[in-house]
Amino acid sequence: MESPPESSSSSPVLLNIGGKRYATTVETLTQREPSSMLAAMFSGRHTLPRHPDTGMVFVDRDGKHFRHVLNWLRDGAVPDMSESEYQQLLREAEYYQLLGLADCINDRLGWKNDENFSEAELTRKDVIKCIQAPRVRFRGVNLSGLDLSKLDLSEVDFSYACIKNANFSSAYLRKAKFRLTEATCSSFQSANLHECELIGANLEGSVLDKANLQSANLQVQLDFQGANLMGANLSGANLEGANLKGAKLAGTNLECANLQRAYLREVDLRETHLTGAKLGGANLLGAIR
């Protein structure tokens, strides 16, 4: 069943966003952000498929955060959230082309980054002493800006740590854990990250050229936006749902990698090795192939 053009701005709209149901109006979806994808969908210029029984319009996106999208469109409000939740909501804002919401979230993230920034709690010498132990954990520790290049950091747990602007160049990080680590603008150039865990890590602006991430697990809202991955080996890596918008992937080995639902908008894939890669549901809008 296809919908006729909406009759007025107060016309009700029933939405099914990834299985979650929402009710709103044409006015809400079109007024605050008139240049958005949602405004275009419900402008009356397009015919939208509807469920034959419920009349709902289905959108294959995360329904959890759409309530925040609607609240933004209704009254311009953005709730207080954790940094990882802001990152997830930002992806939805970018998908729906809600530029005002995206700017607001980026401002909030900037404030959080400023609030969380402080000097590293340890020195390189401290880290070298610690890694002599059989089981090393730096969970939640601030290691921002440290030079940890060329160290053997295999199986070290950096989960929840802050390693912004840290230098891991040529470090041996096999099976290291970076779960929900804040690693913006860090360098992993030529590092061995084989079988490491980077679930939920924020690597925006990081440098990973010539790094080995073979069989690494990087799923769940991983942010690689703008990251330098040139020449990196990510063969077989799990990048499901990762944000790779604008990432540099020249010479990157993504053979047999899981890129399902990945955000690959505006990425140049002409020199990227993608044989056997899974791309189901990936956003390739503006990508060069």
Side-chain angles (χ1 to χ4, degrees):
M1 177 179 179
E2 294 184 337
S3 65
E6 309 295 344
S7 58
S8 71
S9 62
S10 60
S11 298
V13 176
L14 300 178
L15 299 169
N16 180 344
I17 311 296
K20 289 187 177 292
R21 300 181 177 185
Y22 293 92
T24 185
T25 65
V26 173
E27 182 178 18
T28 295
L29 295 170
T30 59
Q31 294 301 304
R32 183 173 296 277
E33 301 247 19
S35 299
S36 70
M37 185 182 81
L38 290 170
M41 286 173 63
F42 295 95
S43 64
R45 301 191 304 269
H46 305 285
T47 301
L48 301 173
R50 290 181 183 267
H51 191 280
D53 298 323
T54 64
M56 287 188 168
V57 176
F58 177 74
V59 181
D60 189 14
R61 294 296 294 178
D62 185 351
K64 173 184 175 182
H65 295 293
F66 194 73
R67 65 189 181 94
H68 299 310
V69 170
L70 280 182
N71 286 335
W72 166 260
L73 292 173
R74 286 167 178 151
D75 52 26
V78 178
D80 289 330
M81 307 171 75
S82 68
E83 187 163 337
S84 63
E85 288 174 322
Y86 274 133
Q87 294 283 359
Q88 294 170 33
L89 182 56
L90 179 61
R91 293 189 62 188
E92 299 308 302
E94 290 178 340
Y95 176 81
Y96 294 115
Q97 299 171 23
L98 298 165
L99 302 183
L101 176 56
D103 287 343
C104 185
I105 295 170
N106 281 320
D107 286 343
R108 294 285 183 91
L109 288 172
W111 297 339
K112 284 185 172 289
N113 288 340
D114 290 342
E115 290 169 0
N116 292 336
F117 182 78
S118 60
E119 293 184 1
E121 298 171 283
L122 299 173
T123 65
R124 179 182 171 92
K125 288 184 178 180
D126 293 332
V127 172
I128 291 173
K129 290 178 182 177
C130 290
I131 60 178
Q132 308 306 314
R135 185 180 180 185
V136 184
R137 296 192 296 179
F138 292 114
R139 294 169 66 93
V141 177
N142 187 349
L143 301 172
S144 299
L146 285 190
D147 179 6
L148 301 176
S149 60
K150 301 180 181 179
L151 295 181
D152 184 350
L153 299 166
S154 55
E155 301 187 37
V156 173
D157 190 349
F158 293 97
S159 298
Y160 313 104
C162 181
I163 55 172
K164 296 178 184 177
N165 301 301
N167 182 9
F168 288 92
S169 298
S170 300
Y172 187 69
L173 290 156
R174 181 166 182 164
K175 294 186 177 181
K177 295 181 179 179
F178 292 90
R179 179 183 289 266
L180 294 173
T181 301
E182 179 58 50
T184 51
C185 300
S186 292
S187 175
F188 293 89
Q189 186 174 27
S190 300
N192 188 334
L193 290 150
H194 186 73
E195 295 183 281
C196 70
E197 180 184 307
L198 290 121
I199 296 177
N202 181 6
L203 289 153
E204 182 175 353
S206 58
V207 177
L208 290 102
D209 56 305
K210 300 180 182 178
N212 180 4
L213 289 97
Q214 186 173 1
S215 301
N217 187 357
L218 308 103
Q219 70 178 103
V220 187
Q221 279 79 43
L222 179 68
D223 196 341
F224 268 132
Q225 183 168 335
N228 183 348
L229 297 165
M230 295 173 64
N233 180 3
L234 288 97
S235 59
N238 185 356
L239 289 154
E240 183 175 353
N243 181 6
L244 288 152
K245 180 181 179 182
K248 299 175 182 177
L249 298 176
T252 304
N253 184 356
L254 289 167
E255 294 181 358
C256 299
N258 181 3
L259 291 161
Q260 294 180 98
R261 298 186 301 102
Y263 195 73
L264 291 157
R265 191 168 179 173
E266 300 171 11
V267 174
D268 188 342
L269 297 170
R270 289 176 295 183
E271 298 180 34
T272 307
H273 305 289
L274 290 165
T275 303
K278 298 177 182 178
L279 290 162
N283 186 334
L284 293 161
L285 185 63
I288 304 172
R289 302 179 72 179

